[in-house]
Amino acid sequence: MITFRDRGARGRLKGSTLDAFYSFSFGDYRDPKNMGFRALRVLNEDFVIPGAGFSEHGHADMEIVTIVLAGAIAHRDDLGNEALIRAGDVQRMSAGTGIRHSEMNPSLEERAHALQLWIIPRSAGGDPSYEQKHFAEEAGRNQWVLVASLDGEGASLTLRQDARLEIARLDEGALLSRALSPDRGYWVQVMGGIIGLNGTEMREGDGAAITAEAILTIEAETRAEVLLIDLP
C-alpha cells in the first residue's frame, strides 16, 4: 500500500524569516491523521532567509537529522560543537538526556533550504552526541547511498534506532528499483525534481508512506533527488 502526502496538503508556517512545511503535526500545526509514520515523528522542510534561523533551544530523547539542500546552516550546541552544514552534508544529533543548540543561516545573501527529520530512538536517555558527514553528489548519482543507519554501516552516520536513510541523485530518465521487506515501513520524500514512484508522479515536496509492497521503482522524469527512509 502506498499513501501519498501531497506537498500542498502539508502544514505551513510562513513568517518574515522562515517558510516551513510540515509533513506531520509539529508546533501549532495539529493533524490527528498525520502524527508521524512508524518511528519517524517529524519531517520538516525549511527555507530560512539570510541571517535568520532558530535561536538556542532544547531537545531530549530524539534522533535529529538535518539534510542541507542549498545554502548552509551554522550549528552550535552546549556540547561545544560548532559546525557549518553545507549542501551535501548530513548532520545527526542524538538529543539523549538533553541538548541545547541553535541553527542559523550564516549567509547575508543566500536563502538556506534544508530538511529536518526527528526519529524516535529505541530507548530513552543516553549521552547526547553529534555527528556530521559530507556525501559527494557524484557518489549518489543514479544509485542509493546510505547516509545513516543503526550501526554506521558503510561509513554512514549512526542512529539510535533500526532505521536507514538513503539518498539518490538521479539524472533525467534514470530508473532505480529496490526490493522491500514486508515487515518494514518506507517513506519516500522528493527533495528535488519530478519522479514516478511505482507509476505515480511525485514532485519536490511530495512524500509517500509505503507498507506491504514487494518492490519500489523510481523513474526520474527530470533530474531529481530522493530520500528513502527505511523504518522498523
Side-chain angles (χ1 to χ4, degrees):
M1 180 173 70
I2 303 178
T3 303
F4 292 94
R5 182 74 163 125
D6 186 88
R7 60 197 178 279
R10 296 176 295 176
R12 187 176 187 182
L13 172 65
K14 185 172 176 58
S16 59
T17 61
L18 174 71
D19 195 5
F21 297 87
Y22 306 141
S23 294
F24 307 116
S25 292
F26 184 83
D28 293 333
Y29 169 62
R30 307 300 294 173
D31 181 354
K33 295 182 179 179
N34 288 285
M35 296 299 296
F37 175 66
R38 297 195 175 214
L40 177 62
R41 175 59 189 86
V42 166
L43 201 168
N44 295 348
E45 182 176 14
D46 298 325
F47 296 87
V48 186
I49 70 164
F54 305 92
S55 58
E56 185 177 294
H57 58 284
H59 298 284
D61 296 325
M62 198 66 68
E63 299 293 284
I64 300 172
V65 178
T66 301
I67 302 170
V68 174
L69 302 176
I73 297 290
H75 167 95
R76 177 179 293 179
D77 63 46
D78 60 0
L79 300 179
N81 296 303
E82 293 188 29
L84 194 62
I85 315 164
R86 298 181 174 88
D89 292 343
V90 182
Q91 175 217 64
R92 185 270 302 155
M93 187 174 66
S94 293
T97 54
I99 191 170
R100 296 190 63 79
H101 75 132
S102 62
E103 301 162 297
M104 306 297 294
N105 179 359
S107 174
L108 298 180
E109 299 178 351
E110 185 178 10
R111 186 174 70 163
H113 179 198
L115 287 186
Q116 187 168 95
L117 294 68
W118 293 11
I119 297 173
I120 300 168
R122 278 179 154 181
S123 58
D127 293 334
S129 64
Y130 179 92
E131 192 178 12
Q132 177 180 330
K133 291 187 178 181
H134 181 75
F135 296 88
E137 181 173 349
E138 290 310 310
R141 180 61 56 194
N142 300 322
Q143 61 183 330
W144 293 112
V145 171
L146 183 65
V147 299
S149 62
L150 175 63
D151 299 318
E153 176 186 336
S156 62
L157 300 170
T158 57
L159 296 171
R160 296 177 184 177
Q161 177 56 272
D162 181 19
R164 295 168 62 89
L165 275 59
E166 301 175 46
I167 290 175
R169 300 172 176 119
L170 305 173
D171 294 324
E172 182 178 352
L175 184 67
L176 273 185
S177 293
R178 189 184 190 281
L180 305 180
S181 174
D183 60 347
R184 306 278 292 181
Y186 302 85
W187 184 274
V188 170
Q189 187 72 21
V190 182
M191 299 191 294
I194 306 171
I195 66 166
L197 171 62
N198 287 16
T200 297
E201 184 179 278
M202 297 178 68
R203 293 173 176 258
E204 180 177 334
D206 288 341
I210 305 170
T211 55
E213 294 283 333
I215 193 164
L216 169 70
T217 300
I218 291 177
E219 184 173 4
E221 298 180 17
T222 65
R223 285 179 64 93
E225 191 166 11
V226 182
L227 172 66
L228 176 64
I229 310 168
D230 177 347
L231 296 154

